[in-house]
């Protein structure tokens, strides 16, 4: 029989400590309800003494959520514990999470006391919290850098005082996975009353090892993990919930399970990212935009033959409809044919060869090939006459000369001319173009790339312009870099609605 791992989600406490990610109470309730649906066992809802807003959020989340235990953070301070207990008054199941620093740094330089005094304060805090709630978790802050023998004494004392869960945080994300695993093992073997409490992991990601450390904690006997959605949290963040849930689910050899409904992972990740205005990095495991995208020809071919060739998780398991095949210059015929078929085209080998050749020419000029491009390649849809087209460009520039540009734009079939000066030939040309169009656009991004290395290179220009809060993209490639820039600018403007 596999053993259950309890999931304590601290997105709304440790996660919410990230500067700029603060949520209001309504948003926190939305996240808490999503976490309940996801199946987390414990929601750390806030640090009630820290602000009236946090206090209120713990009160409202306690009312709005039914199944998970609601946990409130405190320091080992009586007033903190009293305020947390008050904030938890409506929770159906409640927990107070109290604790104190146990590393030499925290004892000597932060709390400025003695190791013995820390043990006394820790046990007193747990005893005091027990007056208000049955379920008391103790955190040994900076346990990652603490001495194992001393940590074992602290843990023994707090369990004796009534702690039901003992949290061993790697607060600074310093531990190596083996070291963290050995710490948990040491506690299992050297704390006489350890069977009376659940050991919890709480790992930070400063060296990118939060998930690895959490796994080693579970392997060595921890049965609760503290995690956040998308791994958000102080500095480099906390262990991410989605990674741990999918490790437990994919690695049957661990003989563990959790109650997470993994099919809700992606939507929960999107919700947290949107509400906290915190984009998920594209290559983030499980929930990043590229986590189930394949762009190289060899991988695309392999995935199309059998998904498992290059995927260890079925994207459906985390709530993503299907893996995506990104068509780029590195894609092969198999991927192109797959996309053509999904768009309803059935081609014989010769037709496919012909389209593939045209596809490669286009892919060299354009980063991603979309469905519209594919239709154009098949000849089904003609590109038609563009509403805006650069027909004429003449620039005068040079050292100590005032750059001047004359631009001829075909606008709905008729050519119009304008001349302008600027601080360089591109600036002068863009100003001339702007004189000819009625819409106000702002240049947001301008990227020039050389395709090869010689002075006869083709230059590629990518441009982003903004119009009424919308971004439009333009692209062109030309041996004349100024022409490429003006064409890309006109290309972007021609898409403005
Ligand atoms: O990282 C940490 O030590 C914490 C504790 C307050 C649990 O977040
Ligand atoms: Zn933390």
């Amino acid at each position: 029989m596999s053993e259950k791992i309890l999931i304590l989600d601290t997105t709304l406490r440790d996660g919410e400590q990230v500067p700029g990610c603060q949520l209001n109470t309504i948003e926190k309730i939305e996240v808490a309800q999503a976490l309940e649906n996801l199946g987390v066992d414990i929601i750390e809802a806030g640090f009630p003494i820290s602000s009236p807003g946090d206090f209120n959020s713990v009160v409202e989340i306690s009312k709005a959520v039914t199944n998970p235990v609601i946990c409130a953070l405190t320091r080992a301070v009586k007033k903190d514990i009293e305020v947390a207990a008050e904030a938890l008054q409506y929770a159906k199941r409640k927990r107070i999470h109290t604790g104190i620093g146990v590393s030499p740094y925290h004892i000597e330089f932060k709390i400025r006391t003695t190791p013995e005094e820390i043990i006394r304060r820790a046990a007193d805090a747990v005893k005091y919290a027990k007056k208000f709630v049955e379920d008391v978790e103790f955190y040994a802050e900076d346990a990652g850098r603490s001495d194992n023998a001393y940590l074992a004494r602290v843990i023994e004392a707090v369990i004796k005082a009534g702690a039901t869960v003992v949290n061993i945080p790697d607060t600074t994300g310093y531990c190596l996975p083996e070291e963290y695993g050995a710490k948990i093992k040491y506690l299992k073997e050297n704390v006489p009353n350890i069977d009376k409490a659940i050991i919890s992991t709480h790992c930070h990601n400063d060296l990118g090892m939060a998930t690895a450390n959490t796994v080693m904690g579970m392997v060595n006997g921890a049965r609760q993990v503290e995690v956040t959605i998308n791994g958000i949290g102080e500095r480099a963040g906390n262990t991410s919930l989605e990674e741990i849930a999918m490790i437990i689910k994919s690695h049957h050899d661990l003989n563990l399970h959790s109650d997470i409904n993994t099919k809700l992972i992606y939507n929960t990740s999107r919700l947290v990212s949107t509400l906290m205005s915190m984009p998920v990095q594209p290559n983030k495991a499980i929930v990043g935009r590229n986590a189930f995208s394949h762009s190289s020809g060899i991988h695309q071919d392999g995935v199309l033959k059998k998904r498992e060739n290059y995927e260890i998780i079925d994207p459906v398991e985390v709530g993503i409809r299907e893996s995506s095949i990104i068509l780029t210059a590195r894609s092969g015929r198999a991927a192109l044919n797959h996309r053509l078929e999904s768009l309803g085209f059935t081609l014989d080998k010769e037709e496919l060869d012909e389209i593939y050749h045209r596809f490669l020419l286009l892919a060299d000029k354009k980063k991603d090939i979309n469905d519209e491009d594919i239709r154009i390649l098949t000849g089904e849809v003609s590109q038609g006459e563009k509403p805006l087209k650069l027909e004429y460009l003449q620039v005068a520039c040079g050292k100590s000369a005032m750059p001047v540009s004359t631009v001829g734009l075909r606008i709905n079939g008729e050519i119009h001319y304008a001349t302008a000066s600027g601080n360089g030939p591109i600036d002068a040309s863009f100003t001339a173009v702007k004189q000819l169009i009625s819409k106000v656009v702002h240049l947001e991004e301008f990227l020039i790339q050389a395709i090869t290395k010689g002075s006869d290179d083709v230059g590629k220009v990518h441009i982003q312009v903004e119009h009424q809060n919308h971004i439009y993209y333009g692209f062109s490639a030309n041996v004349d870099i100024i022409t490429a820039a003006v064409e890309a600018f006109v290309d972007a403007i021609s898409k403005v609605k």
Side-chain angles (χ1 to χ4, degrees):
M1 243 304 255
S2 71
E3 283 189 57
K4 177 168 167 172
I5 295 292
L6 293 161
I7 307 287
L8 181 149
D9 182 279
T10 184
T11 304
L12 294 172
R13 199 279 298 169
D14 223 344
E16 219 244 349
Q17 284 174 215
V18 178
C21 286
Q22 276 63 41
L23 301 179
N24 62 37
T25 301
I26 304 220
E27 291 166 331
K28 285 189 189 174
I29 291 172
E30 198 176 341
V31 172
Q33 285 171 335
L35 293 172
E36 175 167 32
N37 293 337
L38 186 63
V40 310
D41 300 281
I42 303 113
I43 295 176
E44 187 159 56
F47 182 11
I49 191 109
S50 67
S51 71
D54 239 44
F55 178 90
N56 194 35
S57 297
V58 176
V59 171
E60 296 306 325
I61 290 169
S62 298
K63 290 182 192 163
V65 162
T66 311
N67 293 318
V69 172
I70 304 298
C71 173
L73 188 80
T74 76
R75 294 165 295 182
V77 170
K78 277 190 170 173
K79 185 74 189 155
D80 282 30
I81 294 169
E82 287 159 13
V83 173
E86 196 190 334
L88 287 170
Q89 61 188 300
Y90 299 106
K92 286 99 202 153
R93 301 164 69 201
K94 51 187 97 171
R95 173 182 295 180
I96 289 179
H97 190 186
T98 190
I100 196 162
V102 299
S103 68
Y105 294 96
H106 282 223
I107 298 172
E108 198 179 336
F109 304 113
K110 186 181 141 186
I111 311 164
R112 299 197 178 126
T113 184
T114 62
E116 295 313 309
E117 173 63 9
I118 290 287
I119 297 182
R120 193 189 59 74
R121 283 207 222 167
D124 282 355
V126 171
K127 276 189 210 145
Y128 194 61
K130 281 296 247 196
K131 291 188 194 297
F132 301 93
V133 293
E134 180 42 42
D135 189 0
V136 176
E137 173 169 343
F138 173 81
Y139 64 86
E141 196 177 5
D142 205 14
R145 293 187 299 172
S146 69
D147 168 67
N148 285 351
Y150 172 68
L151 179 63
R153 288 183 56 219
V154 176
I155 297 302
E156 183 181 353
V158 295
I159 295 176
K160 198 163 160 221
T164 44
V165 180
V166 286
N167 176 11
I168 312 302
D170 184 20
T171 305
T172 56
Y174 177 73
C175 283
L176 292 169
E178 294 218 338
E179 189 185 359
Y180 188 74
K183 198 173 274 288
I184 303 296
K185 186 164 189 274
Y186 184 91
L187 296 176
K188 281 283 278 182
E189 291 173 353
N190 292 282
V191 174
N193 51 1
I194 196 74
D195 57 313
K196 297 200 169 57
I198 293 167
I199 300 180
S200 183
T201 65
H202 180 112
C203 299
H204 279 268
N205 206 28
D206 299 66
L207 291 172
M209 292 190 289
T211 296
N213 286 348
T214 301
V215 171
M216 289 308 283
M218 296 190 298
V219 166
N220 285 283
R223 288 294 172 263
Q224 177 182 289
V225 292
E226 306 197 0
V227 290
T228 60
I229 300 292
N230 301 334
I232 61 165
E234 288 260 16
R235 311 182 306 280
N238 290 58
T239 306
S240 79
L241 181 148
E242 58 277 9
E243 291 172 16
I244 292 299
M246 292 317 292
I247 288 168
I248 293 174
K249 192 162 184 178
S250 320
H251 272 273
H252 299 151
D253 45 326
L254 290 174
N255 209 19
L256 299 169
H257 68 272
S258 79
D259 283 351
I260 295 297
N261 176 357
T262 60
K263 294 202 164 121
L264 297 180
I265 281 180
Y266 187 66
N267 279 353
T268 314
S269 158
R270 299 297 319 143
L271 175 76
V272 169
S273 165
T274 309
L275 290 180
M276 291 194 165
S277 309
M278 181 110 175
V280 175
Q281 74 194 59
N283 58 327
K284 168 79 182 64
I286 317 293
V287 290
R289 177 164 33 89
N290 295 345
F292 298 97
S293 298
H294 305 273
S295 63
S296 84
I298 295 172
H299 287 210
Q300 291 179 339
D301 185 46
V303 166
L304 290 172
K305 284 181 175 139
K306 191 165 174 60
R307 191 189 54 73
E308 288 84 347
N309 281 335
Y310 284 101
E311 276 181 0
I312 54 162
I313 296 170
D314 183 344
V316 171
E317 287 300 312
V318 298
I320 295 173
R321 213 156 35 90
E322 55 181 359
S323 338
S324 53
I325 301 284
I326 311 280
L327 293 179
T328 69
R330 278 164 286 128
S331 301
R333 278 180 181 69
L336 177 63
N337 197 31
H338 176 260
R339 181 71 63 86
L340 283 162
E341 280 176 357
S342 72
L343 292 172
F345 298 101
T346 317
L347 305 180
D348 61 26
K349 188 178 167 314
E350 253 174 52
E351 286 169 329
L352 179 62
D353 282 349
E354 167 58 25
I355 300 240
Y356 185 62
H357 173 70
R358 282 153 60 191
F359 161 78
L360 286 182
L361 292 177
L362 180 65
D364 220 19
K365 292 199 202 131
K366 197 167 183 274
K367 243 203 287 171
D368 294 343
I369 305 292
N370 59 35
D371 291 352
E372 193 56 21
D373 298 323
I374 301 284
R375 289 202 181 90
I376 290 167
L377 284 175
T378 62
E380 191 197 71
V381 179
S382 93
Q383 290 194 52
E385 182 73 356
K386 284 194 173 176
L388 271 189
K389 192 166 176 239
L390 180 69
E391 290 286 356
Y392 177 85
L393 176 68
Q394 187 180 41
V395 286
C397 62
K399 197 168 157 74
S400 308
M402 156 81 83
V404 177
S405 171
T406 300
V407 164
L409 274 194
R410 184 182 293 277
I411 305 174
N412 295 327
E414 214 176 296
I415 303 182
H416 299 261
Y417 292 90
T419 298
S421 58
N423 61 13
I426 292 178
D427 185 44
S429 305
F430 283 16
T431 307
V433 169
K434 283 186 192 168
Q435 286 174 9
L436 293 172
I437 56 166
S438 50
K439 289 163 185 147
V440 179
V441 296
H442 302 283
L443 187 61
E444 290 285 316
E445 208 171 293
F446 180 44
L447 180 73
I448 299 184
Q449 283 171 304
I451 292 173
T452 56
K453 287 190 183 130
S455 60
D456 57 349
D457 265 1
V458 170
K460 285 183 177 181
V461 178
H462 291 267
I463 270 183
Q464 285 182 29
V465 298
E466 184 270 343
H467 174 71
Q468 293 183 345
N469 291 329
H470 287 283
I471 297 290
Y472 299 89
Y473 298 86
F475 171 79
S476 182
N478 200 300
V479 283
D480 174 351
I481 197 67
I482 298 170
T483 302
V486 183
E487 280 177 348
F489 189 50
V490 171
D491 183 37
I493 293 170
S494 68
K495 293 172 186 160
V496 171
K497 290 181 192 91

